Amino acid sequence: MRAEKLTLIAAVIATAMAGAPAIAADPCDGFSWNVTHERAIFATPPIAIAAAAAAGAVPTVEVDKLYDISLTPQDKVTFVVTPAKKALADGAYAGLVKLHIPSAGKYRVSMSDGFWIDVIADGKFAPTEDFTGSHECRAPRKIVQYPLPAGNDLVLQFSNASSPDVKVTVTAAPQ
Amino acid sequence: MRSSWTIAALCTLLCTAPGAAVLAPVAVLIGSKPYIDHRDQPPYLALPKPLEDQYQLGHAVFNTPFVALGTPNAGRRAGLGPIFNAPSCDECHNEGAHGRGPDYEGAMPNSMVVQLEALPAGVSTDPTDPPGDPVYGRLLSPAAVEGFTAEGQVIIHYHVLQRTYPDGTAWTLRRPEYEITHLGYGPLAANVVIKPRLAPAIFGLGLLESVPGHAAQPGPGRFGWQAIARSVRDQTTRALAREMGVTSTDRPEDDCTSAEMRCLQQRHPQTPEMSGELLEALLTFEKWLSVPANPKALPPAQQAAGLQLFRATGCSGCHLPQQPVLLLQPDGQPLKATIAPFTDLGIHDLGPGLADHEVSGAVHPTRFRTAPLWGIGYRLSRESKPTFLHDGRARSVEEAVLWHDGEAAVVRERFAHLPPEKRAQLLRFVGAL
């Protein structure tokens, strides 16, 4: 690189510096992926369900539907596997749902807040592939992508939520 | 999984490499550990039970998303904001690692912050804590708790630079521009420097702190991209206060300024939002956290040849392979050992291409601490789109090298003039550290 040949242009464009009025920000433009599909689903009426507090009668969620999931105080929840990420759980909420996917592939779990999620397949954590988020957005706030196997139902294990009600959708990731 | 950066292997490598005669004998090399579970990072020395418990508690604090004051039953998690960049340490330093992104043009990723530094106006300022913008403070906070206004948003644009090596091989770099929008409290001051900074990895911080002062070329401090913070404690508590809005006994004030009255009114300087117990646990975690070994380390012979080339090219002038450390072991006994961070901990002028800019657009001379290279192999084994340098503009180790200028210009040119296979060999070596 020859830095002396680089034209040093003004690197900071402070649009409000000249007194221009601030434009209303889109709080959901901070994702590093195309999340048009997820945002469209978050604009649909949610299906209300109650997450389970232990393995057993765990409700099932399906792809491409928005769920309004009520959670339980975390100290009352028995997890299938201890959440992978240790954290203080004061006042936190948690719960379990099952996920049925039609075929193996990459899927995104989109959440209305920055709580922790583990996807459990055959008793083990499914590895995450990537994640993205947008600070001020709640529709959604955070998206985690997983390569998931088909076959048996998967368990989505939510923990460390700050609210007893969260919205979640699962979508197939673009190929 | 086993790293070849074991004590024996590295000793063999360094002691047999050309130029090794100038190195101190490697008595005990510490720092690196295999990460069997990347969510459960081990300490670099075995800790006795009470300290291990404190380490685990600190790890939990590191991962915990804090919530706004007044959140029902929030307990120890209360204290986020009112303005902030992220609700947890882990959100930016995910699992202790270097922040991810930015991948594309668009909104700045959560793992990045924009620091604001007001240029001194005829008065001397503390180089370890320079003043910020009079309205926005030392950090442009892109988020706020409910009922408060975020300070602004940052959009990144890139300009692609295309060049060729002397042998004709083409390369490209992307040069960032930062558009600051939606300022919530009016314009930034004209004399403010915009400092985009990606979250650095926290691996081995306690070891870097244990390098004796005379061994490094000291900046004003030792930690952060510009070695501004004096200690891990200093760096941690200023990040808690300014990037999360979580106050502590060390820093009872967050980043609200007198221009942000509602924000100021939320302050309770007599009641730190993070208790002393949790802060000490967090610092224990950071102090003892190891450096992840590369699960795909090079065979020793390739490491030795790579190190030789690394030295011959001049990279080791700043990316010093080894540093001595003097620390207290968990049992209180002193330990003299060696670490392999590949940094001199000094600060250097890397040229105008990497320098920060003032709001006016003028280049602000900027000196950066030599970034430690340990842990790069682990990153490359886990991330599909790793980025490098203080603002993540480099998309590969090669791009990071090509951005070096200023004091490092000669070394960059030496790298550029290497035959392609030697450049590849050098990059493989660095990418496997």
Side-chain angles (χ1 to χ4, degrees):
Chain A
M1 182 193 68
R2 295 180 179 175
E4 67 273 18
K5 289 192 174 179
L6 301 180
T7 304
L8 290 170
I9 67 170
V12 180
I13 311 167
T15 54
M17 191 181 143
I23 309 164
D26 178 352
C28 295
D29 64 1
F31 294 99
S32 55
W33 309 334
N34 182 338
V35 297
T36 308
H37 183 53
E38 286 75 16
R39 291 195 61 191
I41 294 175
F42 262 82
T44 63
I47 301 164
I49 61 171
V58 180
T60 300
V61 299
E62 296 177 359
V63 171
D64 282 346
K65 293 179 180 177
L66 181 67
Y67 293 90
D68 188 340
I69 303 176
S70 59
L71 303 175
T72 302
Q74 188 158 323
D75 57 3
K76 303 282 196 300
V77 172
T78 304
F79 292 108
V80 176
V81 183
T82 302
K85 186 152 284 193
K86 55 177 78 86
L88 303 179
D90 301 31
Y93 297 88
L96 314 172
V97 299
K98 283 183 182 173
L99 168 65
H100 180 73
I101 53 173
S103 57
K106 295 180 180 180
Y107 288 85
R108 295 173 173 179
V109 182
S110 303
M111 299 164 277
S112 57
D113 211 339
F115 52 90
W116 184 251
I117 179 175
D118 289 307
V119 177
I120 298 162
D122 296 327
K124 297 178 180 174
F125 295 121
T128 58
E129 183 175 81
D130 209 346
F131 57 89
T132 186
S134 191
H135 275 302
E136 295 286 82
C137 189
R138 293 294 175 270
R141 163 69 180 85
K142 171 182 172 182
I143 307 177
V144 187
Q145 185 164 303
Y146 302 84
L148 295 178
N152 293 339
D153 282 343
L154 306 161
V155 176
L156 304 187
Q157 190 171 266
F158 307 119
S159 59
N160 268 87
S162 300
S163 163
D165 288 292
V166 296
K167 291 187 176 64
V168 174
T169 188
V170 180
T171 54
Q175 298 302 310
Chain B
M1 182 167 60
R2 183 175 175 81
S3 164
S4 58
W5 281 109
T6 58
I7 294 173
L10 185 63
C11 184
T12 300
L13 165 64
L14 296 176
C15 295
T16 58
V22 300
L23 293 174
V26 180
V28 182
L29 183 75
I30 60 172
S32 178
K33 289 282 183 184
Y35 281 20
I36 307 299
D37 177 352
H38 57 81
R39 299 166 181 135
D40 192 17
Q41 304 101 329
Y44 60 84
L45 292 178
L47 304 179
K49 177 69 174 157
L51 195 57
E52 169 71 17
D53 288 347
Q54 194 178 35
Y55 178 90
Q56 297 298 343
L57 174 62
H59 193 180
V61 174
F62 184 87
N63 289 339
T64 295
F66 283 75
V67 297
L69 284 174
T71 302
N73 305 315
R76 297 172 294 175
R77 297 201 299 153
L80 178 68
I83 53 175
F84 63 97
N85 181 70
S88 69
C89 308
D90 183 71
E91 178 148 336
C92 298
H93 310 266
N94 186 243
E95 284 149 7
H98 190 280
R100 294 193 182 194
D103 297 336
Y104 313 103
E105 288 194 314
M108 192 175 74
N110 292 4
S111 54
M112 211 166 159
V113 298
V114 165
Q115 298 171 352
L116 306 171
E117 180 180 332
L119 295 171
V123 292
S124 61
T125 56
D126 178 359
T128 65
D129 202 12
D133 181 90
V135 172
Y136 292 92
R138 293 179 171 92
L139 190 89
L140 186 77
S141 296
V145 301
E146 192 171 342
F148 289 82
T149 303
E151 290 184 325
Q153 305 299 323
V154 182
I155 309 294
I156 307 177
H157 304 279
Y158 287 109
H159 290 257
V160 175
L161 310 174
Q162 296 181 309
R163 302 283 189 278
T164 56
Y165 285 109
D167 62 23
T169 307
W171 51 263
T172 61
L173 299 178
R174 56 178 192 173
R175 185 184 61 212
E177 294 182 8
Y178 299 94
E179 180 184 3
I180 299 178
T181 68
H182 308 103
L183 286 169
Y185 302 87
L188 291 166
N191 69 331
V192 160
V193 180
I194 306 293
K195 301 169 67 173
R197 298 289 184 266
L198 199 55
I202 65 161
F203 303 129
L205 287 184
L207 291 166
L208 295 179
E209 190 165 48
S210 300
V211 174
H214 68 272
Q217 302 168 18
R222 180 166 290 189
F223 295 95
W225 285 104
Q226 292 181 265
I228 287 176
R230 298 181 191 90
S231 62
V232 175
R233 187 182 189 100
D234 183 22
Q235 176 72 22
T236 300
T237 54
R238 78 170 68 191
L240 284 170
R242 296 172 186 172
E243 298 173 18
M244 294 169 58
V246 175
T247 60
S248 61
T249 47
D250 291 38
R251 291 197 181 265
E253 297 180 347
D254 50 26
D255 200 39
C256 304
T257 68
S258 57
E260 299 168 310
M261 282 310 297
R262 288 194 58 238
C263 187
L264 270 185
Q265 288 164 0
Q266 288 285 305
R267 275 187 186 164
H268 301 284
Q270 306 309 316
T271 312
E273 290 159 339
M274 179 173 284
S275 70
E277 178 197 7
L278 293 191
L279 176 60
E280 294 305 325
L282 176 60
L283 294 169
T284 296
F285 169 66
E286 294 179 342
K287 175 180 176 182
W288 293 102
L289 179 62
S290 59
V291 179
N294 179 9
K296 299 175 183 172
L298 296 176
Q302 289 186 32
Q303 288 182 17
L307 180 61
Q308 181 180 355
L309 185 55
F310 187 81
R311 290 180 181 284
T313 310
C315 309
S316 58
C318 295
H319 290 284
L320 198 61
Q322 286 184 299
Q323 290 273 13
V325 289
L326 179 58
L327 52 88
L328 285 179
Q329 299 178 77
D331 62 5
Q333 294 299 309
L335 173 66
K336 282 186 178 178
T338 302
I339 58 173
F342 287 81
T343 175
D344 61 0
L345 294 172
I347 55 172
H348 302 278
D349 172 16
L350 295 181
L354 287 177
D356 294 320
H357 291 72
E358 299 171 22
V359 167
S360 66
V363 176
H364 177 71
T366 309
R367 301 174 78 197
F368 292 100
R369 186 192 69 169
T370 306
L373 301 182
W374 57 7
I376 284 186
Y378 174 76
R379 284 194 65 202
L380 294 179
S381 75
R382 293 201 61 223
E383 297 179 27
S384 59
K385 294 178 181 173
T387 58
F388 301 89
L389 299 177
H390 64 286
D391 55 7
R393 68 176 68 190
R395 295 161 291 186
S396 63
V397 173
E398 180 181 24
E399 289 191 13
V401 174
L402 291 167
W403 271 111
H404 282 59
D405 197 19
E407 295 177 39
V410 171
V411 176
R412 183 205 65 229
E413 284 302 300
R414 207 174 286 145
F415 168 79
H417 282 82
L418 288 173
E421 64 275 13
K422 288 291 184 185
R423 286 200 302 269
Q425 181 187 1
L426 182 55
L427 295 172
R428 271 198 306 276
F429 170 74
V430 174
L433 290 173

